[in-house]
Amino acid sequence: MRNAKHFLALFIVFQALATQIHAQNTNQNASGNFTPEVEACGTSVLHDNLLRTNEGFRQRIALNENLIQTALRTDPEARTNQNTGQVLVIPLVVHIVHLGEAVGTGNNISDAQVNSAIVALNDIYRKKAGTYGAGGGVDMEIEFQLATRDPNCNPTTGIVRINGSVVPNYATQGIKLQSAGADDVTIKNLSRWPNTDYYNIWVVSEIDNGGGTAGYAYLPGAPGNLDGTVLLNQAFGTMGTASSGMNRGLTLAHELGHAFNLYHTFEGDNGGTGCPPVVNGCGSGQGDCVADTEPHRRSNSAYNWSCPAGAINTCTNAPIGNVYKNYMDYNSETCRTEFTQDQKDRVRAAISLFRPGLLNSQSLTTGSVSVPLAATCSPTGTVVSNNFSIGIYSVSIGNYTVKSDGTVGDNAMIVDRSCHQQFGLEGNAAFPISITTGPANNENVQVYLDYNSNGTFTDAGELVFNSANVRTQHNGTFSPPAGRSFNSALRLRVISDFAGNPITGPCYQPQYGQVEEYTVSFLSPLPVHLETFTAQLVQDQVLLRWKTAQETNNHYFEIERSGNSKDWQLIGKVNGSGNSSVPQAYTFTDADPIQGQNYYRLKQVDYDGRSEYSFIRSVANSSKRGSFTIYPNPGRGQFTIKSEKASVTPVHLRVFDTNGRLIYQQQSVQNEHRFSIEEHPSGMYLLEVISGKEVNRVKLVKE
C-alpha cells in the first residue's frame, strides 16, 4: 500500500516513543482482545484503544509529546510563572443532541443551562473568587465563549440543536462509548463545525445506555471526525437537567483538560489497582507528564470519594499533597478545586502548538465581515481515514500564520476558511510565503490568488506559488501586480498532494492531500503606521504604550476599554504628532481598570475626521487595592512599599524573577519598608506581600 510507504519516515523517527506508549496498554484480556472498563471519564479508554489500533495516531501523539516537552524545555514563554496577563480565548460550539423534545424540555436543554455551563467553566479556568472555581491552584488564564459567527459567516448563538433519534439506537441507548448506543461518528456527523476554528461539544442524552460514564474527549492529534467533547446533559451546567453531584461544571472542565493535552493525574494506576511510576512518566499507562502532581491512585478507589488532607499517599508512603483536589482526578465535586502551574504550562503550550487556529479564528467577531467571491470550481473528495501525516499544516504570508491539522485532522479534503482566517497585507515589496505540509511525505504545493475576483484562478499571474517534491517546508515569495485593488476581499486557494501526483491546476482534486482557502486583502497605505502597542499591569493600574513609525495628518488617539472585548468605553485621549517621518512614542495610564480582564484598543483620528482602530491588547487585573502601595513602579531598583496601617504581625516580602527564582525576602513590622534589587537586571519581577492570611502579588518593573 502506498500509504504505508508514506508513513515510513515518521515511523522510524518516533518509533521508540510510539512503541513505548503502545506497550503500556493494559486493557486487554488473555486472548489480547479489548476488555471494556467502566470509567467516570471515557477518555483514557478511547485514547488507549486508538493508540493500539491506529498507527498514524500513535505517531502523532509521540510527535506531539516531543514538541510539548521541547517547548517547555527551551521556550521561556512556555513557562508562565503564575499570571502572564495574556488570556487565551477559546470559541465553543455546543451541539445539543435531543430526542425531538421542545426547546428547554427533557434532553433539549435550555439556552440558560448551556450558558450556566460556560459561566462555570470560566469560573474554574480563571479561578474566580467567590465561586466553586476559587481553589488553591493557579489561574489558567483561559476563557471560553460561545461562537458568534458560524462557518458560513452568519450570526449565531453558538448553540446548535439536532434530533439524534434519526440515528439507530440513540433514542433508547444514547451514544456508544464501548458497549451500547448510537455510533459516535454518526452522531457527530449530524452537526460538526471545523475544529480548526471552533471547539466542538456534543451534549447527549446518555452514554453506553447508562453505563456510568459522564463524558469523554480526545487529545489533540485525533482524527477530525472524532475530535471534541461528548458530555451527558445531566453533567452539563449548573441548572436544568444537571444532577446533584455533577452540577458545578467540573465534568466539562475535566474533559477540556484532556482536549488541551492533560492526562488524568493518576495516569498509570491500572484501573485503580496499582500505582503509577513514582518517577513520573509521560503518556498512556506511564504517568500524567506533569511534574507537580505526585503519583497516586484515583481517588474513588484509594480514598473513597473523600477529601483526605494529611492522609498517606499509598503510592509514595508520604502524606498526600493537593493532588486529590485536582480537576484531573476522579474525586468528588466538593474536593476538586484546582489546576497546577505545570498543568497550566502544558495546556497553554498545547493550545499554541496544536490548536492555534482557535486563537486566530474570527468566530467570536460580531458585525459584518468581508468575504471573497466563491470560486467557480470546488474540488471534492473523500478523506482516507488512515492517511495521517499529509496535507496542509500551516500557511504563512508576511507576518501572519494560520495553523491547521492536515487532511485527517481537519477531517476534510477541502476547507474554506475565508470567513474566519484573513490575511491583511501591507506594503509593495515581495511577500514571503511558507506552506507547511505533513512530516512524513514529499508533497507538491500550489497557491492561487484571485486578483480580479472573478472566481476562476486562471487569469495571468494568479498562480502565485509553486513547490514540487518537497518535504514539510515549502518557502518562497510572491509579488502582487501594480494594479491590484486595495482593501478588497480576495480568495486564496492552497493545494497540496503527494509528490507522485502532479497538481494540474486550480481545480485539481487531491488524492491524498488537501485544499484550503483563505481571504487576502491588500491594505492601502495608512496615514499612521502603528509599530507596537502593549498593555501592562503595574501595581493596580494598566500602563499602555505604543509607537508609530510615521504619521501623516494624525490629530489624536482615543483610548477605549472593554471588559468583554465587545462593549467599548472611551477612557482617554492623547494628541498625535500631526506629520512625522520619525518614530514617536506614546503612553497612557488607566488608573482605574476593571477588576478581572481588561481589553484595550486605540482609535486613531485624522484632522479630516477619518479614523481607524488598532489591534486589541488585553491584561488581567487581579490586584487587591487599599492594602498597600509601592513606588516608584517602574523604578530603577530602589522601591518603597507602604501599608495603609501599621501591622501587628510581621509582613513578609518576597521578590521572584520571571523564572520563579526567589531573589529577595525580608520580614518587617513597619508600615513603610524600603528594599533594593539594583544588582539584578532590568525587567519584570513579582512582588509577594504576605500579611497574616492576606496575600497580595504585584508586578514589579525595574527599568
Side-chain angles (χ1 to χ4, degrees):
M1 292 291 290
R2 178 178 289 175
N3 282 352
K5 294 179 181 178
H6 292 181
F7 302 140
L8 181 59
L10 186 64
F11 178 72
I12 291 173
V13 173
F14 296 106
Q15 185 178 24
L17 278 173
T19 302
Q20 184 182 29
I21 291 174
H22 182 48
Q24 295 303 316
N25 175 46
T26 59
N27 192 26
Q28 299 182 41
N29 60 24
S31 62
N33 295 322
F34 183 61
T35 304
E37 296 175 349
V38 175
E39 294 271 0
C41 164
T43 297
S44 291
V45 174
L46 293 174
H47 182 74
D48 290 348
N49 190 38
L50 203 55
L51 284 175
R52 188 181 65 259
T53 59
N54 193 312
E55 177 184 316
F57 181 71
R58 288 201 302 274
Q59 294 170 5
R60 185 65 184 273
I61 291 299
L63 172 60
N64 284 0
E65 194 58 50
N66 183 57
L67 292 173
I68 277 196
Q69 296 301 331
T70 299
L72 294 176
R73 185 174 63 252
T74 62
D75 183 1
E77 292 186 0
R79 294 287 185 183
T80 61
N81 295 308
Q82 295 292 326
N83 293 341
T84 68
Q86 180 188 11
V87 176
L88 306 181
V89 182
I90 307 299
L92 304 177
V93 56
V94 175
H95 311 271
I96 300 171
V97 190
H98 57 82
L99 300 178
E101 302 99 327
V103 174
T105 60
N107 297 289
N108 198 356
I109 62 175
S110 67
D111 285 4
Q113 184 171 342
V114 175
N115 289 323
S116 76
I118 309 306
V119 170
L121 186 62
N122 286 325
D123 289 345
I124 289 169
Y125 273 77
R126 294 307 313 276
K127 205 179 91 166
K128 187 176 180 180
T131 73
Y132 291 130
V138 300
D139 175 0
M140 298 289 275
E141 294 184 290
I142 297 172
E143 293 181 1
F144 302 87
Q145 293 183 22
L146 290 170
T148 55
R149 189 178 302 282
D150 73 11
N152 296 316
C153 255
N154 299 312
T156 180
T157 63
I159 302 171
V160 181
R161 300 177 183 276
I162 47 176
N163 189 338
S165 62
V166 298
V167 179
N169 299 322
Y170 184 74
T172 56
Q173 299 175 327
I175 197 169
K176 180 180 179 180
L177 170 67
Q178 299 180 82
S179 59
D183 178 67
D184 172 89
V185 173
T186 305
I187 289 292
K188 292 174 178 176
N189 284 343
L190 295 175
S191 178
R192 179 193 294 108
W193 290 7
N195 68 342
T196 50
D197 299 314
Y198 308 85
Y199 187 78
N200 289 276
I201 299 170
W202 289 269
V203 181
V204 300
S205 59
E206 196 53 83
I207 298 175
D208 268 357
N209 196 27
T213 298
Y216 57 87
Y218 284 90
L219 273 66
N225 64 340
L226 295 176
D227 190 38
T229 286
V230 171
L231 216 67
L232 289 176
N233 61 57
Q234 299 95 322
F236 187 72
T238 61
M239 56 179 291
T241 63
S243 61
S244 177
M246 294 191 293
N247 60 356
R248 293 190 179 185
L250 271 68
T251 305
L252 180 57
H254 176 103
E255 298 306 336
L256 289 182
H258 291 313
F260 302 130
N261 233 61
L262 292 182
Y263 292 91
H264 291 125
T265 53
F266 51 78
E267 180 68 39
D269 74 345
N270 197 29
T273 64
C275 289
V278 175
V279 178
N280 190 53
C282 189
S284 181
Q286 302 177 65
D288 69 348
C289 311
V290 176
D292 60 2
T293 55
E294 60 188 282
H296 73 115
R297 291 168 58 199
R298 62 190 68 191
S299 290
N300 62 332
S301 61
Y303 303 111
N304 196 27
W305 296 88
S306 62
C307 300
I312 297 299
N313 183 342
T314 56
C315 294
T316 64
N317 294 320
I320 194 167
N322 288 335
V323 70
Y324 67 93
K325 298 180 181 179
N326 200 278
Y327 290 119
M328 301 311 294
D329 185 26
Y330 271 5
N331 218 325
S332 68
E333 285 199 331
T334 57
C335 291
R336 288 183 290 158
T337 59
E338 62 187 58
F339 288 111
T340 69
Q341 179 64 52
D342 286 354
Q343 285 177 320
K344 175 179 180 177
D345 292 344
R346 183 175 175 85
V347 163
R348 292 173 68 91
I351 292 172
S352 298
L353 287 167
F354 313 133
R355 298 192 187 273
L358 299 179
L359 305 180
N360 297 332
S361 175
Q362 298 299 306
S363 56
L364 296 176
T365 58
T366 56
S368 61
V369 62
S370 296
V371 293
L373 182 71
T376 56
C377 63
S378 182
T380 58
T382 302
V383 176
V384 181
S385 62
N386 68 339
N387 194 27
F388 280 83
S389 303
I390 198 168
I392 299 166
Y393 282 72
S394 73
V395 175
S396 298
I397 302 177
N399 296 319
Y400 194 86
T401 298
V402 179
K403 294 187 178 181
S404 55
D405 216 9
T407 308
V408 173
D410 290 339
N411 189 42
M413 193 70 76
I414 180 167
V415 182
D416 186 351
R417 309 184 74 185
S418 59
C419 173
H420 297 297
Q421 302 292 345
Q422 305 195 348
F423 297 85
L425 305 181
E426 182 180 358
N428 294 312
F431 294 101
I433 184 169
S434 179
I435 311 298
T436 303
T437 54
N441 308 282
N442 284 22
E443 294 188 47
N444 300 322
V445 167
Q446 287 187 0
V447 180
Y448 295 85
L449 182 55
D450 187 12
Y451 282 118
N452 61 2
S453 194
N454 66 356
T456 67
F457 298 112
T458 56
D459 297 290
E462 291 191 335
L463 172 60
V464 298
F465 180 68
N466 185 25
S467 174
N469 197 25
V470 173
R471 178 164 299 184
T472 305
Q473 208 66 45
H474 306 254
N475 299 319
T477 61
F478 77 94
S479 298
R484 67 189 180 278
S485 61
F486 288 98
N487 306 318
S488 297
L490 307 177
R491 186 169 295 274
L492 182 84
R493 173 171 287 181
V494 184
I495 306 175
S496 78
D497 205 358
F498 178 60
N501 299 339
I503 299 173
T504 56
C507 298
Y508 172 78
Q509 171 63 60
Q511 182 178 2
Y512 300 104
Q514 199 173 21
V515 178
E516 291 191 352
E517 295 185 346
Y518 301 88
T519 294
V520 168
S521 296
F522 294 101
L523 306 179
S524 58
L526 301 176
V528 173
H529 181 79
L530 188 64
E531 204 167 54
T532 61
F533 176 36
T534 62
Q536 175 186 2
L537 185 67
V538 179
Q539 198 173 342
D540 59 355
Q541 300 179 344
V542 175
L543 177 63
L544 304 176
R545 293 189 177 104
W546 65 98
K547 292 182 180 179
T548 62
Q550 62 185 31
E551 299 182 19
T552 303
N553 199 31
N554 181 23
H555 192 187
Y556 58 86
F557 297 93
E558 291 182 347
I559 297 90
E560 297 183 358
R561 183 187 66 202
S562 171
N564 58 10
S565 75
K566 298 177 183 178
D567 304 308
W568 295 92
Q569 172 191 11
L570 176 65
I571 61 171
K573 177 179 174 181
V574 174
N575 288 331
S577 299
N579 297 290
S580 173
S581 59
V582 297
Q584 301 289 332
Y586 300 89
T587 62
F588 178 84
T589 298
D590 181 4
D592 190 27
I594 301 168
Q595 192 72 13
Q597 195 66 23
N598 290 259
Y599 299 88
Y600 297 92
R601 69 182 183 185
L602 304 174
K603 181 181 180 181
Q604 182 271 317
V605 182
D606 291 351
Y607 281 105
D608 59 11
R610 290 187 299 176
S611 63
E612 189 153 288
Y613 283 104
S614 72
F615 37 87
I616 296 171
R617 290 290 181 254
S618 66
V619 63
N621 173 32
S622 57
S623 302
K624 297 180 180 179
R625 303 177 184 213
S627 57
F628 68 93
T629 57
I630 181 168
Y631 57 92
N633 190 16
R636 297 185 180 277
Q638 292 279 355
F639 298 90
T640 299
I641 182 169
K642 185 175 181 179
S643 301
E644 290 290 323
K645 56 184 179 180
S647 176
V648 296
T649 59
V651 175
H652 194 175
L653 310 177
R654 300 196 299 177
V655 179
F656 300 86
D657 67 12
T658 55
N659 293 317
R661 292 187 292 264
L662 179 66
I663 65 168
Y664 175 89
Q665 64 176 334
Q666 182 66 48
Q667 282 191 346
S668 174
V669 293
Q670 301 175 350
N671 69 333
E672 187 172 298
H673 181 76
R674 294 180 176 86
F675 66 97
S676 172
I677 57 170
E678 287 181 307
E679 68 275 22
H680 294 282
S682 299
M684 184 79 69
Y685 296 84
L686 179 70
L687 169 66
E688 185 179 77
V689 184
I690 304 174
S691 177
K693 295 183 178 180
E694 182 181 357
V695 180
N696 289 283
R697 297 181 179 90
V698 172
K699 289 182 179 179
L700 201 64
V701 180
K702 181 178 182 292
E703 295 181 324

